Amino acid sequence: RCHHSFLKFWLHSQFWMTFVQDGVDGKQARRTNSSTPLGELFDHGLDSWACIFFVATVYSIFGRGESGVGVVTLYYILWVVLFSFILSHWEKYNTGILFLPWGYDISQVTISLVYLVTSVVGVEKWYQPVLWHLLYRDLFTFMIIACSFTVTLPMSLYNVLKAHRSNTLKHSSLYEAFLPFLSPFLLFIVSTAWVVFSPSNILEQQPRIFYLMVGTAFANVTCKLIVCQMSNTRCQPLSWLLLPMAAVVLFAVTGIVASETQLLYLWTAAVILAHIHYGVSVVRAHTLRPSEFPFIQRKRHCVRRREEVYAGV
């Protein structure tokens, strides 16, 4: 019990430090005139990958028992979080401005408090009803869904509509405006098909690996969207990663591959390696061939010009 309490307190402290540093890194970069699109890509790209770990670790406190959270329910909750994350970047893709909603801060503070309370009272506290038959897991789930659909989504739609009315919207076509949602939507369809039609109920057997696979594939799609929004280029309709994934799911649900678990492990490793390779390739291309990244030069010019405005030049 003492060991578990220390672990939860350590998680609380590390999570809180992560939250604080994630909030001040951009301010520090702008203050020191070291802000670059590459830094922005790393910042938000790693945030998109961290979504899976935030969701999985905090819900592990509630467990999978009678008062816990089912793996299928957690899968859909994960997608609510992923949807909330990509909304902000879809908004910037259309408006050119990134507005981070209050829902993100609320969720981070809440998760940190959950770790802190758990380190003091233990996980058993969360198994007790809050009021009548309402459990803490239900309250937490309601908070995530409510923040997404009453805070994040309305604010993104409002900002896009505001840009449309002021004629500052970057994409006038409805198809072009919603194009960034195509790959995430297809990823949701393909991964959900695996969950629903899995012969061995793969999500029950390997929930953490499945979440990791979905979260990493989503992070890869999001990073490409971030690059497009920074370079003012058109978002690609289809991520190439979805094509082999569709084949993998087909092999899994039809029983062509004998071991579905081994297939999941191999595909998860492939997705992780592909995502890391993409990140390394972007960094190497920026380092070795900076002329191919003209948007970086424009961004640096904007940063210098902003500093001149602040200085009264």
Side-chain angles (χ1 to χ4, degrees):
R1 174 66 181 275
C2 181
H3 172 72
H4 289 166
S5 297
F6 173 78
L7 178 61
K8 293 299 187 297
F9 181 78
W10 181 82
L11 285 173
H12 157 74
S13 61
Q14 296 302 307
F15 191 88
W16 182 256
M17 287 301 299
T18 301
F19 171 57
V20 172
Q21 292 175 14
D22 187 39
V24 303
D25 56 355
K27 294 181 180 295
Q28 174 67 7
R30 288 186 290 272
R31 189 182 70 86
T32 57
N33 197 23
S34 57
S35 175
T36 66
L38 193 60
E40 181 180 347
L41 175 62
F42 263 85
D43 185 4
H44 300 298
L46 291 175
D47 285 345
S48 66
W49 205 358
C51 287
I52 166 60
F53 303 106
F54 290 160
V55 176
T57 53
V58 71
Y59 269 92
S60 65
I61 293 177
F62 303 108
R64 294 174 58 179
E66 183 178 347
S67 58
V69 181
V71 292
V72 176
T73 302
L74 183 55
Y75 168 76
Y76 290 113
I77 291 174
L78 172 63
W79 269 108
V80 171
V81 174
L82 298 180
F83 171 71
S84 300
F85 185 90
I86 204 170
L87 261 178
S88 298
H89 293 282
W90 165 77
E91 179 185 337
K92 184 180 179 182
Y93 178 77
N94 285 282
T95 65
I97 302 174
L98 179 63
F99 294 95
L100 291 178
W102 281 102
Y104 172 78
D105 299 284
I106 294 173
S107 63
Q108 300 301 292
V109 172
T110 303
I111 292 174
S112 181
L113 290 176
V114 167
Y115 288 140
L116 179 61
V117 172
T118 305
S119 68
V120 177
V121 301
V123 296
E124 295 80 6
K125 178 65 177 179
W126 306 113
Y127 302 155
Q128 303 172 8
V130 183
L131 184 65
W132 294 302
H133 298 291
L134 181 66
L135 298 173
Y136 282 99
R137 59 105 192 265
D138 302 321
L139 190 62
F140 202 79
T141 300
F142 173 79
M143 185 201 72
I144 291 178
I145 297 175
C147 282
S148 177
F149 291 100
T150 64
V151 178
T152 306
L153 179 59
M155 284 303 300
S156 292
L157 294 177
Y158 170 76
N159 289 326
V160 171
L161 180 61
K162 184 179 178 181
H164 172 70
R165 289 176 174 175
S166 61
N167 292 324
T168 58
L169 204 61
K170 299 172 66 175
H171 305 281
S172 57
S173 167
L174 194 64
Y175 171 77
E176 292 294 335
F178 282 89
L179 192 59
F181 284 131
L182 181 58
S183 286
F185 174 73
L186 293 177
L187 175 61
F188 170 75
I189 294 298
V190 172
S191 59
T192 303
W194 196 349
V195 171
V196 174
F197 300 107
S198 171
S200 63
N201 202 352
I202 191 64
L203 192 58
E204 287 285 349
Q205 300 296 326
Q206 300 290 337
R208 290 181 176 85
I209 299 299
F210 197 91
Y211 299 150
L212 177 61
M213 180 271 294
V214 172
T216 306
F218 172 84
N220 185 260
V221 172
T222 304
C223 285
K224 293 176 181 178
L225 173 60
I226 294 173
V227 170
C228 290
Q229 72 187 23
M230 291 189 303
S231 58
N232 291 321
T233 55
R234 183 175 183 265
C235 178
Q236 293 299 315
L238 184 66
S239 172
W240 70 267
L241 201 62
L242 294 173
L243 298 178
M245 182 173 176
V248 168
V249 173
L250 181 63
F251 292 156
V253 300
T254 56
I256 295 178
V257 178
S259 176
E260 194 175 0
T261 299
Q262 290 183 3
L263 181 62
L264 174 62
Y265 271 82
L266 289 174
W267 175 241
T268 302
V271 171
I272 293 174
L273 290 175
H275 186 47
I276 294 175
H277 176 265
Y278 174 76
V280 172
S281 299
V282 171
V283 174
R284 285 177 58 86
H286 165 54
T287 304
L288 301 178
R289 300 186 301 275
S291 60
E292 296 182 9
F293 290 80
F295 66 93
I296 291 182
Q297 305 302 326
R298 291 198 300 270
K299 180 70 174 282
R300 286 174 176 167
H301 171 74
C302 292
V303 171
R304 288 196 300 269
R305 181 56 188 159
R306 184 168 60 227
E307 295 296 330
E308 292 173 357
V309 171
Y310 289 159
V313 177

